[in-house]
């Protein structure tokens, strides 16, 4: 069981599927944060989780993340940035 925070980045259709899989794999519900940069999704809910603005680098330092972003170039660019901050 993981005790670190998991930031799910992307709250669209793929994000919904990923979040469901995360929950089914026993991740602590209180340790999940859902973020999305889309103004249309911000402050709505995804499977009971509030969708917040993307976390800051400080928030994500030494934490886990999963990128549920469909655009491969945007996903790769963000991955490179976040990997430097992650515990893994």
């Amino acid at each position: 069981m993981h005790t670190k925070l998991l930031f799910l980045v992307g709250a669209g259709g793929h994000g919904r599927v990923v979040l469901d899989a995360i929950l089914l794999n026993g991740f602590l519900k209180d340790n999940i944060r859902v973020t999305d940069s889309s103004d249309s999704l911000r402050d709505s809910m995804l499977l009971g989780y509030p969708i917040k603005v993307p976390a800051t680098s400080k928030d994500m330092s030494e934490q886990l993340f999963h990128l549920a972003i469909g655009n491969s170039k945007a996903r790769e660019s963000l991955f490179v940035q976040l990997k430097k901050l992650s515990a893994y």
Side-chain angles (χ1 to χ4, degrees):
M1 188 171 301
H2 298 283
T3 57
K4 292 184 178 279
L5 292 178
L6 172 75
F7 288 87
L8 176 63
V9 182
H14 182 60
R16 179 180 305 276
V17 172
V18 170
L19 180 55
D20 190 41
I22 289 167
L23 293 170
L24 289 172
N25 280 289
F27 210 92
L28 293 174
K29 292 182 179 186
D30 290 341
N31 289 10
I32 299 170
R33 306 293 183 270
V34 179
T35 68
D36 199 293
S37 61
S38 172
D39 288 335
S40 65
L41 293 176
R42 196 168 300 143
D43 295 324
S44 59
M45 301 291 278
L46 181 68
L47 299 178
Y49 288 87
I51 301 169
K52 300 295 182 185
V53 297
T56 66
S57 298
K58 182 180 175 184
D59 294 336
M60 294 182 77
S61 180
E62 297 297 317
Q63 302 301 324
L64 304 171
F65 64 87
H66 183 96
L67 302 180
I69 300 170
N71 181 301
S72 61
K73 291 211 181 274
R75 186 176 57 244
E76 180 182 16
S77 175
L78 188 54
F79 175 79
V80 169
Q81 293 171 8
L82 295 177
K83 181 64 177 163
K84 294 174 187 176
L85 304 171
S86 178
Y88 297 95

